[in-house]
Amino acid sequence: MRPPISLARNVSRALAVVCMMGLLAAPVGANSAGRLAFDFDTGNAIREVAIPAQHDLFLTTVSASDVSLVLRHTVMLNNAWFDATAPYHPTAVGVASRLGRRPPEERVTHRQRNIAILYATYRLLNSQLPQFRQQWREMLLSVGLNPDDNSQDLTTPVGIGNRAGNAVVASRLHDGMNQLGDEGGRKYNRQPYADYLGYVPVNTADTIRDPARWQPNVVTTGNGIFRVQEFVTPQWSVTRPYSYRSPAEFTVPPPANSDPATNPGGYRRQTDEVLAISAGLNDQRKILAEHFDDKFRSLPTTVTHLADTRGYSLDQFIAHNFLVNMASFDAGIATWHFKRRYDAVRPFTAIRYLYGNRAVTAWGGPGRGTVNDIKGSEWRSYMNTADHPEYPSASATICAAHAQASRRITGTDQLGQTVTVARGTSVIEPGITPAADLTLGPWHTWTQWSQECGQARLFGGVHFRDAVTAAQTLGTGVGDRAHAFVVAHLEGRAGPPS
Amino acid sequence: MRPPISLARNVSRALAVVCMMGLLAAPVGANSAGRLAFDFDTGNAIREVAIPAQHDLFLTTVSASDVSLVLRHTVMLNNAWFDATAPYHPTAVGVASRLGRRPPEERVTHRQRNIAILYATYRLLNSQLPQFRQQWREMLLSVGLNPDDNSQDLTTPVGIGNRAGNAVVASRLHDGMNQLGDEGGRKYNRQPYADYLGYVPVNTADTIRDPARWQPNVVTTGNGIFRVQEFVTPQWSVTRPYSYRSPAEFTVPPPANSDPATNPGGYRRQTDEVLAISAGLNDQRKILAEHFDDKFRSLPTTVTHLADTRGYSLDQFIAHNFLVNMASFDAGIATWHFKRRYDAVRPFTAIRYLYGNRAVTAWGGPGRGTVNDIKGSEWRSYMNTADHPEYPSASATICAAHAQASRRITGTDQLGQTVTVARGTSVIEPGITPAADLTLGPWHTWTQWSQECGQARLFGGVHFRDAVTAAQTLGTGVGDRAHAFVVAHLEGRAGPPS
């Protein structure tokens, strides 16, 4: 079942008719000073306007946080784009809104959808990142749109965009993530996204009380200030998913090798495997670890690759992107449910616990290569260890969900992506790694891509093998649910917004 | 005893002679494209070249850290400027170097000293902030100096500057602060400025085990990531001071009111005083708290004020600035010694401990004014609470040392500084506070200035009164030592560099 692709055929037929009728207008804004030369009729406002407008601001704020906060931002944007364009689709209904149906002539070109997309983006960004209000105004002004147009008129793309964006904002103000900091009844000095479930780690940064459990790591930017991690948004585990009711619908077995009290042999084996991988790092493995650690490099580029190589229509682009972002978001919620339940130890703690001041053979840190005299207490993972318990791997679950959802919506396991990485562009070993330009992939299939994503978490030294194995099953299950959810909305079969 | 001032008279006499002899050359670099119009003969390379070159980079790196790291950076810079100009002084010797004596004609104008200052700055910045190597090159190139000139020739200002800067760097690579991260024998993944004394807090961010002791606070930039403080550089307490041998030479009584087990009435009284001050905040007090919290606004501006109003010579400018930075650095070391010994509770912890979920009357957070229904657990201090135990106050000790050293070197308590603050420029309540332009001061005397600095820590909600009282005595004592140290070096009576 591939609705966007069948839609594309309809649109292209309709477009041919309208072109003959001479209805295609000239691009808006192309001739005004200081404006983008954006073509509303043929362009893609998401790729050409919305994403460029927020890219740099996003890097310094949202992407400096963690996967829960990043994915909530991106899924809400994609949700807004989906809802803003649903009224122009032959059958689709919005996820957070019901905005009616526009006549077919309004989807002959991209004009109405692009306008709706930009107003929806504007409403969402003003709620999510209000500190950049002026920049969001500039985004609309740059293409000749009026940021003060608060129309709610559902016969116009401005009204549809405004209402779609506002509906998505409203639908998630109290989704469990505590965006307003008001969960738990706090009145003063509210802290957006603060934990209200009362998670307290068993271990401290200084002391391992239980070597089976998560230990917050110490982080620094190198300027002499050291800070201790807190489990980021434990409440993601109870946040409302899009595509299923409760994470308890999924099964993830306990991490069998993470408790030395019950399984000392397994604990040592999985710890020694991480050390052996650390000692065996090469340029290819380091860059693979970095690629899949950076969710902006690894995830959206796959859809962009398909959009470019398979000639996605605007609707296909929106549907596939919403699907993979939502699959990832829902996969993260399920992952967090089990991370919170199992509260499992990270490799750096297990290595300290087993080896302490004894020498091991491992990667010796940036630029040092493999050394045989590094103390267990001095070891660090190649990638930075994220702010949450180890099991299951969030990245691997998200990749598995993203891959399964993509298989479903495209009807094939084929991917065909290759990524080229220039020498010296490593973020962990800048100027050193890779020693020569190298190529990741080719990932002929989603299966290869998802497996390498899981491997990358082992190369990065931030996970044990079991966390990656469990992730594949969990992520695939969520990917199926996410696909069914999007199809139901594309076909207009979905129930009313929650 | 005011050596720089008597020196100024000598220089001005000598200058008059040389002017008549026509020895003053044209400014260097003023006519070249892309170069600063800096006059080497009459200018001040510190104010006009060195500080502007690093100001913005400093804000994003060093000043984002904490007072120990900020002051070590600034004292080393000022030490480099002192050592680079000592050979041109009639009697002075360097602190980290012995670079001989140049003939009087080389101090007739500022030229030689300015060149030596800039090369010393260059060597120091390349060690302290090597990530900005290219910008430091630009700093020299901007005034026509060659960054590749590694001369060690003590008959030239380039050689003197290079050797002075390198000597200051070398003198402090192992001063106890762990700049290289190699203290404690760590070989791999060294962490600059990491604690190697093994400080572990008694309390965690989640649990108050002992209400007398320091509790790390939770910090966030508002993006959903929360981190727990670590006591910043506990090893500052054992770092080598300039002007005394050991912090144990000073006496600071234990904080008598900080332990509810031995003095419950005192504990409650000093906690309630902080709450009453919080409830009584007004624009004047908020802005005073912000002024003295920001060490770049409060400390160097006093010397700049005196330099401008009293017509400091270049040597006076250097001597007074080195003196106050060194007095502050040494005051901080002594403060850290007692902070580490007493490990005293901060107000936010005492308020949570005493009031928990009960309502108190206090400032309700940014923009909320005074409210009567804020829970003890929701209270926050007006200023952010720094990363170290409460007693004694570092800021108040540093102000007291800065004031006493300044009284000594100027021979008077007179200050005469006023600071104007534009409406809405608060960092805690931007756009709101102050409601109208306001004036801090006039601080007619150093005594008024230092007392208001101490008050500001109470207004900021980050200290109890006893921590400010203890600071005045301790800081004054360190200020005396620092002054004696600088005078000994200005008069050439100091022993060899340590």
Tab-separated table of all heavy atoms in Angstrom, chain A residues 65 69 186-189 192 209 220 223 225-228 230 364-365 368 371 373-374 378 380 387, chain B residues 65 69 186-189 191-192 209 220 223 225-228 230 364-365 368 371 373-374 378 380 387:
chain	number	residue	atom	x	y	z
A	65	SER	N	20.789	19.325	22.514
A	65	SER	CA	20.168	18.625	23.646
A	65	SER	C	20.266	17.116	23.448
A	65	SER	O	21.361	16.591	23.338
A	65	SER	CB	18.730	19.096	23.835
A	65	SER	OG	17.966	18.899	22.670
A	69	LEU	N	14.307	15.359	22.814
A	69	LEU	CA	13.929	16.744	22.541
A	69	LEU	C	14.056	17.054	21.053
A	69	LEU	O	13.223	17.767	20.482
A	69	LEU	CB	14.801	17.668	23.382
A	69	LEU	CG	14.616	17.404	24.889
A	69	LEU	CD1	15.891	17.682	25.661
A	69	LEU	CD2	13.451	18.206	25.425
A	186	ARG	N	3.820	22.290	39.600
A	186	ARG	CA	4.765	23.365	39.913
A	186	ARG	C	4.212	24.696	39.410
A	186	ARG	O	3.765	24.810	38.276
A	186	ARG	CB	6.106	23.058	39.260
A	186	ARG	CG	7.230	23.929	39.786
A	186	ARG	CD	8.582	23.506	39.209
A	186	ARG	NE	9.608	24.425	39.645
A	186	ARG	CZ	10.485	24.156	40.596
A	186	ARG	NH1	10.454	22.985	41.197
A	186	ARG	NH2	11.391	25.050	40.947
A	187	LYS	N	4.262	25.728	40.265
A	187	LYS	CA	3.718	27.027	39.911
A	187	LYS	C	4.805	28.040	39.588
A	187	LYS	O	4.666	28.817	38.647
A	187	LYS	CB	2.833	27.547	41.047
A	187	LYS	CG	2.177	28.896	40.743
A	187	LYS	CD	1.097	29.232	41.753
A	187	LYS	CE	0.459	30.592	41.448
A	187	LYS	NZ	-0.522	31.001	42.459
A	188	TYR	N	5.873	28.073	40.389
A	188	TYR	CA	6.915	29.083	40.196
A	188	TYR	C	8.195	28.442	39.681
A	188	TYR	O	8.496	27.292	39.980
A	188	TYR	CB	7.185	29.804	41.522
A	188	TYR	CG	6.017	30.657	41.949
A	188	TYR	CD1	5.166	30.248	42.974
A	188	TYR	CD2	5.742	31.860	41.302
A	188	TYR	CE1	4.078	31.016	43.353
A	188	TYR	CE2	4.653	32.634	41.671
A	188	TYR	CZ	3.825	32.214	42.692
A	188	TYR	OH	2.750	32.973	43.060
A	189	ASN	N	8.951	29.264	38.953
A	189	ASN	CA	10.233	28.808	38.402
A	189	ASN	C	10.086	27.476	37.674
A	189	ASN	O	10.835	26.528	37.903
A	189	ASN	CB	11.292	28.725	39.515
A	189	ASN	CG	11.616	30.098	40.064
A	189	ASN	OD1	11.837	31.039	39.304
A	189	ASN	ND2	11.636	30.229	41.384
A	192	PRO	N	10.961	24.008	31.737
A	192	PRO	CA	10.484	23.221	30.598
A	192	PRO	C	11.218	21.883	30.482
A	192	PRO	O	12.442	21.835	30.602
A	192	PRO	CB	10.797	24.125	29.397
A	192	PRO	CG	10.780	25.509	29.962
A	192	PRO	CD	11.316	25.374	31.358
A	209	ARG	N	27.401	1.967	43.205
A	209	ARG	CA	26.764	1.196	44.281
A	209	ARG	C	26.252	-0.132	43.748
A	209	ARG	O	26.269	-1.133	44.433
A	209	ARG	CB	25.597	1.992	44.879
A	209	ARG	CG	26.027	3.281	45.544
A	209	ARG	CD	25.054	3.699	46.655
A	209	ARG	NE	25.501	4.961	47.250
A	209	ARG	CZ	25.112	6.160	46.823
A	209	ARG	NH1	24.243	6.275	45.841
A	209	ARG	NH2	25.576	7.253	47.393
A	220	THR	N	32.170	17.626	30.193
A	220	THR	CA	32.846	18.924	30.209
A	220	THR	C	33.001	19.413	28.785
A	220	THR	O	33.054	18.610	27.854
A	220	THR	CB	34.230	18.827	30.885
A	220	THR	OG1	34.835	20.126	30.923
A	220	THR	CG2	35.143	17.878	30.127
A	223	ASN	N	36.532	23.537	29.361
A	223	ASN	CA	36.889	24.835	29.933
A	223	ASN	C	37.047	24.792	31.454
A	223	ASN	O	37.075	25.824	32.110
A	223	ASN	CB	35.848	25.901	29.542
A	223	ASN	CG	34.501	25.663	30.219
A	223	ASN	OD1	34.257	24.588	30.772
A	223	ASN	ND2	33.625	26.647	30.177
A	225	ILE	N	34.961	23.379	33.604
A	225	ILE	CA	33.692	23.136	34.289
A	225	ILE	C	33.269	21.697	34.005
A	225	ILE	O	33.209	21.283	32.853
A	225	ILE	CB	32.600	24.118	33.803
A	225	ILE	CG1	32.960	25.544	34.193
A	225	ILE	CG2	31.233	23.729	34.349
A	225	ILE	CD1	32.877	25.836	35.665
A	226	PHE	N	32.990	20.957	35.069
A	226	PHE	CA	32.526	19.583	34.938
A	226	PHE	C	31.115	19.503	35.498
A	226	PHE	O	30.812	20.116	36.521
A	226	PHE	CB	33.460	18.629	35.688
A	226	PHE	CG	34.847	18.629	35.114
A	226	PHE	CD1	35.779	19.587	35.499
A	226	PHE	CD2	35.213	17.707	34.150
A	226	PHE	CE1	37.055	19.619	34.937
A	226	PHE	CE2	36.483	17.732	33.590
A	226	PHE	CZ	37.405	18.685	33.980
A	227	ARG	N	30.277	18.767	34.810
A	227	ARG	CA	28.900	18.624	35.261
A	227	ARG	C	28.520	17.153	35.167
A	227	ARG	O	29.085	16.402	34.379
A	227	ARG	CB	27.960	19.470	34.377
A	227	ARG	CG	28.227	20.976	34.507
A	227	ARG	CD	27.163	21.648	35.368
A	227	ARG	NE	27.615	22.911	35.963
A	227	ARG	CZ	27.587	24.102	35.371
A	227	ARG	NH1	27.149	24.205	34.132
A	227	ARG	NH2	27.976	25.178	36.022
A	228	VAL	N	27.553	16.763	35.979
A	228	VAL	CA	27.104	15.376	36.021
A	228	VAL	C	25.791	15.256	35.264
A	228	VAL	O	24.899	16.102	35.401
A	228	VAL	CB	26.923	14.925	37.483
A	228	VAL	CG1	26.407	13.497	37.538
A	228	VAL	CG2	28.242	15.052	38.244
A	230	GLU	N	22.068	14.161	34.086
A	230	GLU	CA	20.800	13.669	34.613
A	230	GLU	C	20.105	12.941	33.465
A	230	GLU	O	20.206	13.364	32.308
A	230	GLU	CB	19.909	14.821	35.088
A	230	GLU	CG	20.443	15.569	36.274
A	230	GLU	CD	19.338	15.923	37.276
A	230	GLU	OE1	18.277	16.401	36.845
A	230	GLU	OE2	19.550	15.684	38.480
A	364	GLY	N	43.069	4.857	22.909
A	364	GLY	CA	43.644	5.676	23.975
A	364	GLY	C	43.135	7.099	24.026
A	364	GLY	O	43.732	7.932	24.716
A	365	GLY	N	42.046	7.377	23.295
A	365	GLY	CA	41.535	8.755	23.265
A	365	GLY	C	41.894	9.419	21.951
A	365	GLY	O	42.674	8.874	21.156
A	368	ARG	N	45.248	9.116	19.763
A	368	ARG	CA	46.216	8.238	20.421
A	368	ARG	C	46.252	6.827	19.845
A	368	ARG	O	47.162	6.050	20.183
A	368	ARG	CB	45.917	8.156	21.920
A	368	ARG	CG	45.901	9.491	22.635
A	368	ARG	CD	47.281	10.163	22.591
A	368	ARG	NE	48.245	9.466	23.390
A	368	ARG	CZ	48.567	9.799	24.645
A	368	ARG	NH1	48.002	10.837	25.211
A	368	ARG	NH2	49.469	9.110	25.313
A	371	VAL	N	46.200	1.546	22.490
A	371	VAL	CA	47.295	1.484	23.466
A	371	VAL	C	47.042	0.304	24.395
A	371	VAL	O	45.918	-0.155	24.535
A	371	VAL	CB	47.405	2.798	24.276
A	371	VAL	CG1	47.699	3.982	23.353
A	371	VAL	CG2	46.143	3.056	25.082
A	373	ASP	N	48.242	0.241	27.693
A	373	ASP	CA	48.503	0.583	29.096
A	373	ASP	C	47.519	1.615	29.630
A	373	ASP	O	47.844	2.388	30.528
A	373	ASP	CB	49.942	1.081	29.255
A	373	ASP	CG	50.211	2.343	28.445
A	373	ASP	OD1	49.424	2.635	27.513
A	373	ASP	OD2	51.203	3.025	28.746
A	374	ILE	N	46.321	1.625	29.071
A	374	ILE	CA	45.313	2.560	29.572
A	374	ILE	C	44.563	1.894	30.725
A	374	ILE	O	44.165	0.728	30.638
A	374	ILE	CB	44.354	3.011	28.437
A	374	ILE	CG1	43.355	4.055	28.949
A	374	ILE	CG2	43.635	1.834	27.799
A	374	ILE	CD1	42.518	4.697	27.851
A	378	GLU	N	40.539	5.228	33.074
A	378	GLU	CA	40.854	6.297	32.125
A	378	GLU	C	40.141	6.123	30.788
A	378	GLU	O	40.152	7.020	29.948
A	378	GLU	CB	42.367	6.353	31.859
A	378	GLU	CG	43.196	6.775	33.063
A	378	GLU	CD	44.696	6.710	32.773
A	378	GLU	OE1	45.099	6.146	31.737
A	378	GLU	OE2	45.473	7.219	33.597
A	380	ARG	N	37.575	5.954	27.775
A	380	ARG	CA	36.350	6.624	27.364
A	380	ARG	C	35.840	5.983	26.082
A	380	ARG	O	36.604	5.423	25.281
A	380	ARG	CB	36.529	8.135	27.147
A	380	ARG	CG	37.533	8.544	26.084
A	380	ARG	CD	37.262	9.944	25.531
A	380	ARG	NE	36.196	9.912	24.541
A	380	ARG	CZ	35.785	10.968	23.835
A	380	ARG	NH1	36.337	12.142	24.048
A	380	ARG	NH2	34.819	10.862	22.928
A	387	ASP	N	22.809	10.880	27.785
A	387	ASP	CA	22.315	11.119	29.152
A	387	ASP	C	21.206	10.166	29.579
A	387	ASP	O	20.197	10.616	30.148
A	387	ASP	CB	21.732	12.550	29.248
A	387	ASP	CG	22.751	13.637	28.988
A	387	ASP	OD1	23.869	13.328	28.562
A	387	ASP	OD2	22.413	14.813	29.218
B	65	SER	N	32.911	29.949	32.387
B	65	SER	CA	33.264	28.962	33.406
B	65	SER	C	33.034	29.555	34.794
B	65	SER	O	31.956	29.994	35.110
B	65	SER	CB	34.695	28.483	33.194
B	65	SER	OG	35.600	29.562	33.223
B	69	LEU	N	38.786	29.818	37.249
B	69	LEU	CA	39.365	29.704	35.912
B	69	LEU	C	39.498	31.070	35.261
B	69	LEU	O	40.478	31.344	34.558
B	69	LEU	CB	38.495	28.766	35.073
B	69	LEU	CG	38.412	27.356	35.686
B	69	LEU	CD1	37.073	26.690	35.406
B	69	LEU	CD2	39.563	26.500	35.187
B	186	ARG	N	47.450	10.757	35.746
B	186	ARG	CA	46.597	10.317	34.642
B	186	ARG	C	47.368	10.421	33.326
B	186	ARG	O	48.001	11.439	33.042
B	186	ARG	CB	45.340	11.177	34.598
B	186	ARG	CG	44.261	10.611	33.703
B	186	ARG	CD	42.962	11.407	33.803
B	186	ARG	NE	42.004	10.912	32.846
B	186	ARG	CZ	40.965	10.153	33.162
B	186	ARG	NH1	40.747	9.830	34.417
B	186	ARG	NH2	40.125	9.728	32.228
B	187	LYS	N	47.309	9.369	32.532
B	187	LYS	CA	48.053	9.347	31.272
B	187	LYS	C	47.147	9.539	30.061
B	187	LYS	O	47.503	10.251	29.126
B	187	LYS	CB	48.814	8.017	31.143
B	187	LYS	CG	49.668	7.915	29.883
B	187	LYS	CD	50.626	6.728	29.942
B	187	LYS	CE	51.446	6.653	28.651
B	187	LYS	NZ	52.308	5.449	28.629
B	188	TYR	N	45.991	8.889	30.048
B	188	TYR	CA	45.104	8.954	28.874
B	188	TYR	C	43.835	9.739	29.181
B	188	TYR	O	43.370	9.773	30.316
B	188	TYR	CB	44.736	7.548	28.410
B	188	TYR	CG	45.920	6.794	27.865
B	188	TYR	CD1	46.542	5.799	28.612
B	188	TYR	CD2	46.449	7.112	26.617
B	188	TYR	CE1	47.650	5.124	28.113
B	188	TYR	CE2	47.548	6.440	26.114
B	188	TYR	CZ	48.154	5.449	26.866
B	188	TYR	OH	49.244	4.797	26.372
B	189	ASN	N	43.307	10.347	28.124
B	189	ASN	CA	42.073	11.131	28.261
B	189	ASN	C	42.170	12.131	29.408
B	189	ASN	O	41.283	12.215	30.266
B	189	ASN	CB	40.867	10.195	28.435
B	189	ASN	CG	40.615	9.382	27.184
B	189	ASN	OD1	40.624	9.926	26.075
B	189	ASN	ND2	40.421	8.084	27.338
B	191	GLN	N	41.973	15.448	31.473
B	191	GLN	CA	40.930	16.469	31.516
B	191	GLN	C	41.512	17.721	32.149
B	191	GLN	O	41.725	17.752	33.366
B	191	GLN	CB	39.758	15.982	32.385
B	191	GLN	CG	39.131	14.691	31.927
B	191	GLN	CD	38.167	14.890	30.787
B	191	GLN	OE1	38.135	15.962	30.177
B	191	GLN	NE2	37.391	13.886	30.489
B	192	PRO	N	41.766	18.769	31.351
B	192	PRO	CA	42.303	20.002	31.921
B	192	PRO	C	41.453	20.517	33.080
B	192	PRO	O	40.221	20.544	32.979
B	192	PRO	CB	42.280	20.975	30.736
B	192	PRO	CG	42.388	20.100	29.532
B	192	PRO	CD	41.631	18.848	29.897
B	209	ARG	N	21.375	14.855	52.670
B	209	ARG	CA	21.752	13.929	53.740
B	209	ARG	C	22.187	14.688	54.982
B	209	ARG	O	21.962	14.256	56.095
B	209	ARG	CB	22.901	13.017	53.274
B	209	ARG	CG	22.524	12.119	52.116
B	209	ARG	CD	23.374	10.847	52.091
B	209	ARG	NE	22.985	10.028	50.947
B	209	ARG	CZ	23.561	10.114	49.745
B	209	ARG	NH1	24.569	10.934	49.554
B	209	ARG	NH2	23.137	9.362	48.751
B	220	THR	N	20.429	24.264	34.017
B	220	THR	CA	19.909	24.016	32.675
B	220	THR	C	20.022	25.297	31.866
B	220	THR	O	20.010	26.393	32.438
B	220	THR	CB	18.440	23.557	32.709
B	220	THR	OG1	17.994	23.287	31.377
B	220	THR	CG2	17.529	24.616	33.328
B	223	ASN	N	16.949	24.192	27.481
B	223	ASN	CA	16.670	23.372	26.290
B	223	ASN	C	16.269	21.940	26.648
B	223	ASN	O	16.259	21.068	25.785
B	223	ASN	CB	17.877	23.379	25.340
B	223	ASN	CG	19.061	22.610	25.903
B	223	ASN	OD1	19.094	22.292	27.091
B	223	ASN	ND2	20.037	22.316	25.067
B	225	ILE	N	17.850	19.951	28.797
B	225	ILE	CA	18.968	19.198	29.367
B	225	ILE	C	19.261	19.758	30.764
B	225	ILE	O	19.443	20.970	30.921
B	225	ILE	CB	20.221	19.313	28.486
B	225	ILE	CG1	19.986	18.630	27.140
B	225	ILE	CG2	21.446	18.718	29.188
B	225	ILE	CD1	19.884	17.131	27.205
B	226	PHE	N	19.290	18.878	31.745
B	226	PHE	CA	19.601	19.270	33.114
B	226	PHE	C	20.902	18.578	33.521
B	226	PHE	O	21.118	17.427	33.184
B	226	PHE	CB	18.462	18.881	34.052
B	226	PHE	CG	17.184	19.606	33.727
B	226	PHE	CD1	16.336	19.125	32.744
B	226	PHE	CD2	16.852	20.782	34.366
B	226	PHE	CE1	15.168	19.801	32.415
B	226	PHE	CE2	15.689	21.472	34.046
B	226	PHE	CZ	14.850	20.973	33.063
B	227	ARG	N	21.735	19.347	34.223
B	227	ARG	CA	23.006	18.768	34.655
B	227	ARG	C	23.236	19.152	36.107
B	227	ARG	O	22.720	20.170	36.585
B	227	ARG	CB	24.157	19.298	33.785
B	227	ARG	CG	24.053	18.845	32.321
B	227	ARG	CD	25.042	17.716	32.032
B	227	ARG	NE	24.669	16.898	30.882
B	227	ARG	CZ	24.921	17.184	29.614
B	227	ARG	NH1	25.545	18.291	29.301
B	227	ARG	NH2	24.572	16.349	28.657
B	228	VAL	N	24.012	18.356	36.796
B	228	VAL	CA	24.282	18.583	38.214
B	228	VAL	C	25.676	19.186	38.360
B	228	VAL	O	26.628	18.755	37.695
B	228	VAL	CB	24.186	17.249	38.983
B	228	VAL	CG1	24.509	17.458	40.461
B	228	VAL	CG2	22.799	16.642	38.819
B	230	GLU	N	29.376	20.135	39.716
B	230	GLU	CA	30.489	19.590	40.491
B	230	GLU	C	31.255	20.784	41.054
B	230	GLU	O	31.371	21.817	40.378
B	230	GLU	CB	31.422	18.761	39.607
B	230	GLU	CG	30.806	17.499	39.066
B	230	GLU	CD	31.790	16.331	39.120
B	230	GLU	OE1	32.953	16.494	38.716
B	230	GLU	OE2	31.366	15.244	39.589
B	364	GLY	N	9.330	35.584	43.157
B	364	GLY	CA	8.710	34.431	42.515
B	364	GLY	C	9.359	33.981	41.224
B	364	GLY	O	8.782	33.183	40.491
B	365	GLY	N	10.565	34.494	40.944
B	365	GLY	CA	11.227	34.128	39.697
B	365	GLY	C	11.160	35.281	38.713
B	365	GLY	O	10.453	36.273	38.937
B	368	ARG	N	8.153	37.862	38.031
B	368	ARG	CA	6.998	37.546	38.879
B	368	ARG	C	6.882	38.435	40.110
B	368	ARG	O	5.849	38.397	40.795
B	368	ARG	CB	7.057	36.073	39.331
B	368	ARG	CG	7.096	35.074	38.198
B	368	ARG	CD	5.834	35.117	37.335
B	368	ARG	NE	4.694	34.617	38.045
B	368	ARG	CZ	4.237	33.366	37.953
B	368	ARG	NH1	4.831	32.514	37.145
B	368	ARG	NH2	3.193	32.977	38.642
B	371	VAL	N	5.931	37.125	45.799
B	371	VAL	CA	4.705	36.333	45.911
B	371	VAL	C	4.679	35.677	47.291
B	371	VAL	O	5.708	35.522	47.939
B	371	VAL	CB	4.630	35.254	44.806
B	371	VAL	CG1	4.610	35.908	43.424
B	371	VAL	CG2	5.796	34.276	44.911
B	373	ASP	N	3.018	32.647	47.908
B	373	ASP	CA	2.591	31.245	47.846
B	373	ASP	C	3.597	30.376	47.096
B	373	ASP	O	3.231	29.368	46.499
B	373	ASP	CB	1.209	31.140	47.192
B	373	ASP	CG	1.206	31.648	45.756
B	373	ASP	OD1	2.152	32.379	45.374
B	373	ASP	OD2	0.269	31.327	45.004
B	374	ILE	N	4.860	30.782	47.159
B	374	ILE	CA	5.874	29.954	46.505
B	374	ILE	C	6.365	28.920	47.506
B	374	ILE	O	6.648	29.227	48.669
B	374	ILE	CB	7.030	30.823	45.951
B	374	ILE	CG1	8.061	29.963	45.213
B	374	ILE	CG2	7.705	31.641	47.049
B	374	ILE	CD1	9.111	30.781	44.464
B	378	GLU	N	10.358	25.378	45.398
B	378	GLU	CA	10.307	26.075	44.108
B	378	GLU	C	11.195	27.322	44.094
B	378	GLU	O	11.396	27.922	43.031
B	378	GLU	CB	8.864	26.504	43.787
B	378	GLU	CG	7.915	25.349	43.511
B	378	GLU	CD	6.470	25.807	43.285
B	378	GLU	OE1	6.163	26.987	43.554
B	378	GLU	OE2	5.657	24.987	42.848
B	380	ARG	N	14.137	29.991	43.966
B	380	ARG	CA	15.481	30.072	43.404
B	380	ARG	C	16.097	31.410	43.813
B	380	ARG	O	15.386	32.398	44.053
B	380	ARG	CB	15.510	29.939	41.882
B	380	ARG	CG	14.730	30.967	41.110
B	380	ARG	CD	15.251	31.142	39.678
B	380	ARG	NE	16.434	32.007	39.647
B	380	ARG	CZ	17.068	32.388	38.544
B	380	ARG	NH1	16.656	31.950	37.379
B	380	ARG	NH2	18.116	33.196	38.599
B	387	ASP	N	29.203	27.088	41.399
B	387	ASP	CA	29.513	25.654	41.528
B	387	ASP	C	30.422	25.340	42.708
B	387	ASP	O	31.355	24.528	42.563
B	387	ASP	CB	30.239	25.157	40.263
B	387	ASP	CG	29.423	25.281	38.994
B	387	ASP	OD1	28.382	25.942	39.030
B	387	ASP	OD2	29.846	24.719	37.976
